[in-house]
Amino acid sequence: MTANTDPDSKQPKMPIALDAVGGDNAPGEIIEGAVQAYRESGVPITLVGPRDLLLTELDRINASDSRIELVDAPHNIAMDESPVQAVRHKRESSIVVGMDLVKKGRASGFVSAGNSGAIMAASVLRLGRSAEIDKPALASVFPTLAGECLMLDVGASTDCRVDDLVRFAVMGSVYCQRVMMMPNPKVGLLSNGEESSKGNSIVQQTHERLASSNLNFVGNIEGKDIPFGKADVIVADGFVGNVALKTAEGVAEFAFKLLRDEFDRASLLSKIGGLLLMPSLRRIKRRFDYDEYGAALLLGVDGIVLIAHGRSKAKAIKNALLRAYSAVEFGVVNHIRVGSDQMVRRSSIPVSG
């Protein structure tokens, strides 16, 4: 679902809070992305950061007259700071203030391209976990030949138990069913081989548990299977999932850079042929461009939280805000809470919680 395209039409009661000073390209690109989201799609937004800085940036891009709300947060959590310590001691940081807006019902969701560890720590400490879910999971949409799949976890929880991976499978299935409109999503467990005996002991035990459930479990899948749509839900711990996602992103960037380099060295006739293919190549590039997907949704916490790439520019931030808006409209938190409990009971999945 996309956001309403008329800024003056009916909007959600609460805005999306955006960390305006998080990320490598803050605050300029972040604020520009917020303005684009509001002007193009009517997403109500609250910018969180040092008020004077926000006003200066809005004036710089001729958006000082926009109806974007500002909330002062004089401090920022740097990328190299200890996440938990920073969240506990920097109460006036943009991440903590933004998360508190969600907790107090003054914002319907939170988006940041800042310190991902601090965002996850603040999500758990300020919002709390959803019932029965011990560890949250970052869920990222990934393009495949069959359309899209959902990969989780891609970085939130690196040390996972069997119960955690089973919960990730359940949350991913619920999300695909109720948000991505897949009636019976295929669940795959990321491993170093398709056989049930492959993987470490955690992966092997998870395979056994999922195989005995009523989920549409297709077994272990390897990294090479992901782009071909062998599974709709890709389950992994946060370490493996993050490596797989970042590797795929790097390979995609590498491939398109090679194409550009070859085009620059090509003969005139080859360049003419390449120009004819350019519209198709641009469409392919968009499918693999993380800017198109905006951010990863943090599932398992009691609120809508999206974490964007640290190097996000305006386009990625705009799309992250649109994704957050859609998550609010779909009632993702409630769907995950209710749907996960129902699926666990219906599937007789032994989860200790």
Side-chain angles (χ1 to χ4, degrees), residues 191-199 203-204 207 219-222:
S191 185
N192 64 330
E194 296 179 354
E195 300 84 359
S196 60
S197 60
K198 290 297 181 68
V203 170
Q204 291 174 18
H207 185 286
N220 287 350
I221 65 168
E222 298 178 273

Coordinates of all heavy atoms in Angstrom, one line a residue, residues 191-199 203-204 207 219-222:
S191 N 21.3 -21.9 5.2 CA 22.3 -22.8 5.7 C 23.4 -22.9 4.6 O 23.3 -22.4 3.5 CB 21.7 -24.1 6.0 OG 22.6 -25.0 6.7
N192 N 24.4 -23.8 4.9 CA 25.5 -24.0 4.0 C 25.2 -25.3 3.2 O 26.2 -25.8 2.6 CB 26.8 -24.1 4.8 CG 26.8 -25.3 5.7 OD1 25.8 -25.7 6.2 ND2 28.0 -25.9 6.0
G193 N 24.0 -25.7 3.1 CA 23.7 -26.9 2.3 C 22.2 -27.1 2.4 O 21.6 -26.8 3.4
E194 N 21.6 -27.8 1.4 CA 20.2 -28.1 1.4 C 19.8 -29.2 2.4 O 18.7 -29.3 2.8 CB 19.7 -28.4 0.0 CG 19.9 -27.3 -1.0 CD 19.4 -27.6 -2.4 OE1 19.1 -28.8 -2.6 OE2 19.4 -26.7 -3.2
E195 N 20.7 -30.1 2.6 CA 20.4 -31.3 3.5 C 20.1 -30.9 4.9 O 20.7 -29.9 5.4 CB 21.6 -32.3 3.5 CG 21.9 -32.8 2.1 CD 22.8 -31.9 1.3 OE1 23.2 -30.9 1.8 OE2 23.2 -32.3 0.1
S196 N 19.2 -31.6 5.5 CA 18.9 -31.3 6.9 C 20.0 -31.5 7.9 O 20.0 -30.9 9.0 CB 17.7 -32.2 7.4 OG 18.1 -33.6 7.3
S197 N 21.0 -32.2 7.5 CA 22.2 -32.4 8.4 C 23.2 -31.3 8.3 O 24.2 -31.2 9.1 CB 22.9 -33.7 8.0 OG 23.3 -33.7 6.6
K198 N 23.0 -30.3 7.3 CA 23.9 -29.2 7.2 C 23.7 -28.1 8.2 O 22.6 -28.0 8.8 CB 23.8 -28.6 5.8 CG 24.4 -29.6 4.7 CD 25.9 -29.8 4.9 CE 26.5 -30.7 3.8 NZ 26.5 -30.1 2.5
G199 N 24.6 -27.2 8.4 CA 24.5 -26.2 9.4 C 25.0 -26.5 10.7 O 25.3 -27.7 11.0
V203 N 21.1 -24.5 13.7 CA 20.3 -24.6 12.4 C 19.7 -26.0 12.3 O 18.5 -26.1 11.8 CB 21.3 -24.3 11.3 CG1 20.6 -24.6 9.9 CG2 21.7 -22.8 11.3
Q204 N 20.4 -27.0 12.7 CA 19.9 -28.4 12.5 C 18.6 -28.6 13.4 O 17.6 -29.1 13.0 CB 20.9 -29.4 12.9 CG 22.1 -29.5 11.9 CD 23.2 -30.4 12.4 OE1 23.0 -31.2 13.3 NE2 24.4 -30.3 11.8
H207 N 15.7 -26.6 11.9 CA 15.2 -27.3 10.8 C 14.2 -28.4 11.3 O 13.1 -28.5 10.7 CB 16.3 -28.0 10.0 CG 15.9 -28.7 8.8 ND1 15.2 -29.9 8.8 CD2 16.0 -28.3 7.5 CE1 15.0 -30.3 7.5 NE2 15.4 -29.3 6.7
G219 N 12.5 -26.2 3.7 CA 13.8 -26.8 4.1 C 14.9 -25.8 4.1 O 14.7 -24.6 4.0
N220 N 16.1 -26.3 4.1 CA 17.3 -25.4 4.0 C 17.4 -24.9 2.6 O 17.1 -25.5 1.6 CB 18.6 -26.2 4.4 CG 18.7 -26.5 5.8 OD1 18.0 -26.0 6.7 ND2 19.7 -27.4 6.2
I221 N 17.9 -23.6 2.6 CA 18.3 -23.0 1.3 C 19.6 -22.4 1.4 O 20.1 -22.1 2.5 CB 17.2 -22.0 0.8 CG1 17.3 -20.8 1.7 CG2 15.8 -22.6 0.7 CD1 16.5 -19.6 1.1
E222 N 20.3 -22.4 0.3 CA 21.7 -21.7 0.2 C 21.5 -20.3 -0.3 O 20.5 -19.9 -0.9 CB 22.6 -22.6 -0.7 CG 22.8 -24.0 -0.2 CD 23.7 -24.8 -1.1 OE1 23.1 -25.4 -2.1 OE2 24.9 -24.8 -0.8

